[in-house]
Amino acid sequence: MRCYRVAKSVALALLDDGFAGEGTELSVHIVGVERPARVIAASPCDAEAKAMRQ
């Protein structure tokens, strides 16, 4: 998913507790391509589109 508000690609993943700490570096497969990833604290996206309503 591309989050245009933050100009970054974001993805959701299920992780075991040992890998879920903020800042953990890992790799994920997206459409068959291995990509670097990092666990972040919260979603940077504006899912409720509050920024657009200002």
Side-chain angles (χ1 to χ4, degrees), residues 22-51:
E22 183 179 354
T24 301
E25 302 276 335
L26 39 89
S27 62
V28 295
H29 288 257
I30 300 174
V31 192
V33 177
E34 188 171 340
R35 306 246 182 211
R38 182 174 35 88
V39 176
I40 60 173
S43 175
C45 290
D46 181 16
E48 296 176 18
K50 289 180 181 178

